Amino acid sequence: MTLLDVDDIHTYYEHSHILQGVSLRAEGGQVTALLGRNGVGKTTLIRSVIGFTPPRSGSIRFAGEPIERLASHAIARRGVGLVPQGRRIFPSLTVEENLRIGGLPGRSGRWSLDTVYELFPRLRERTGNYGGELSGGEQQMLAIGRALMSNPVLLLLDEPSEGLAPLIVRELERTMSRLKETGLAIVLVEQNLPLALAVADTAYIISKGRVVFHGDPDIIRTDDEVRTNHLGI
Ligand SMILES: Nc1ncnc2c1ncn2[C@@H]1O[C@H](COP(=O)(O)OP(=O)(O)OP(=O)(O)O)[C@@H](O)[C@H]1O
Ligand SMILES: [Mg+2]
């Protein structure tokens, strides 16, 4: 079932026309990878979906309903969770306070303080520590845990591996696999190609505000031309 259906959106920052007719679908329970070089519009697509920078034209449907005119809190209440690029945790709040902020009245389910701590035992040990005292890897767990607290149906993950050591990136891969096993759908923006290809069911590549590739992640793995032309690697 198509959970997220982005159809021909155009998104601007004032006069800058960033997304120039982007269409993308994310299926329920699947991981959809969104790849592309720096500055091509990946975060802008995420911001368009969550309502921070709504598209000027085109439509976005979530679970069959149009959401492109809704405020971001209303989009979140329908079941879209966000782990923003750079994590954006609150440095002067404790781990527990950061997690509680992610909860949404009226959205209950599998995820609570307790189950987030079961997923990330390290966060339980750090429950009273301030966000600013955590390592990069712990901050990423916190950002994911905070998003899970709203019991999303779809999780938008914007470059979760950015700035993390290889060992921590492997843990992140395991976390994403476990989340997928729970039935959660994920849109994953990643520059770490091995990570993205390891977990993705389908992949999109964006270049200069347009989708230039959509297909099986294996094609990106095996087709040198796709990688050189669209990712420059
Ligand atoms: N708030 C803003 N105001 C104006 N221009 C912006 C703003 N945010 C981003 N841009 C520009 O929009 C374009 C797309 O940015 P975006 O953040 O979506 O790229 P990205 O693919 O996420 O890149 P990265 O991989 O570096 O995170 C870039 O040229 C960027 O400079
Ligand atoms: Mg970005």
Side-chain angles (χ1 to χ4, degrees):
M1 187 204 68
T2 299
L3 188 60
L4 178 73
D5 188 352
V6 175
D7 186 27
D8 194 27
I9 61 166
H10 290 256
T11 303
Y12 295 71
Y13 295 113
E14 305 203 2
H15 298 298
S16 306
H17 189 180
I18 307 296
L19 298 185
Q20 306 183 3
V22 168
S23 299
L24 167 146
R25 284 178 171 201
E27 305 295 318
Q30 293 205 344
V31 177
T32 303
L34 192 56
L35 311 170
R37 290 182 242 212
N38 287 117
V40 295
K42 302 181 300 295
T43 296
T44 306
L45 177 53
I46 297 293
R47 293 179 59 88
S48 301
V49 172
I50 199 68
F52 292 159
T53 312
R56 280 200 202 155
S57 68
S59 74
I60 304 177
R61 287 179 168 264
F62 178 68
E65 302 283 330
I67 58 166
E68 74 275 354
R69 298 281 162 255
L70 297 182
S72 34
H73 63 86
I75 296 171
R77 264 206 306 276
R78 291 189 180 211
V80 183
L82 171 67
V83 179
Q85 187 167 11
R87 341 228 199 271
R88 301 274 179 264
I89 63 151
F90 297 103
S92 54
L93 297 183
T94 65
V95 165
E96 180 173 335
E97 287 164 344
N98 267 281
L99 288 174
R100 288 195 188 281
I101 278 178
L104 282 180
R107 285 206 65 84
S108 56
R110 145 192 319 261
W111 298 108
S112 62
L113 207 53
D114 246 8
T115 53
V116 167
Y117 284 153
E118 276 167 32
L119 179 68
F120 297 123
R122 183 70 189 144
L123 289 185
R124 196 196 296 274
E125 292 167 20
R126 302 285 254 154
T127 184
N129 282 102
Y130 291 108
E133 297 173 326
L134 304 184
S135 69
E138 290 167 344
Q139 291 193 1
Q140 190 53 272
M141 291 176 205
L142 184 55
I144 294 172
R146 183 181 58 187
L148 291 176
M149 289 290 285
S150 70
N151 280 287
V153 180
L154 171 69
L155 187 63
L156 309 171
L157 272 167
D158 195 350
E159 304 220 18
S161 80
E162 204 172 26
L164 300 184
L167 209 65
I168 313 292
V169 173
R170 280 214 286 284
E171 264 177 52
L172 182 65
E173 184 182 326
R174 278 194 291 275
T175 299
M176 282 192 279
S177 302
R178 287 175 70 178
L179 293 179
K180 195 179 151 186
E181 280 164 20
T182 70
L184 184 66
I186 297 175
V187 171
L188 171 67
V189 173
E190 253 310 328
Q191 302 242 17
N192 181 325
L193 196 60
L195 171 65
L197 297 183
V199 296
D201 296 290
T202 188
Y204 287 79
I205 301 178
I206 296 193
S207 180
K208 296 181 190 155
R210 296 169 200 261
V211 171
V212 292
F213 172 89
H214 172 221
D216 195 304
D218 273 338
I219 300 174
I220 302 177
R221 202 191 331 260
T222 53
D223 191 330
D224 294 347
E225 238 171 78
V226 171
R227 283 200 312 278
T228 3
N229 290 349
H230 302 315
L231 295 170
I233 49 177

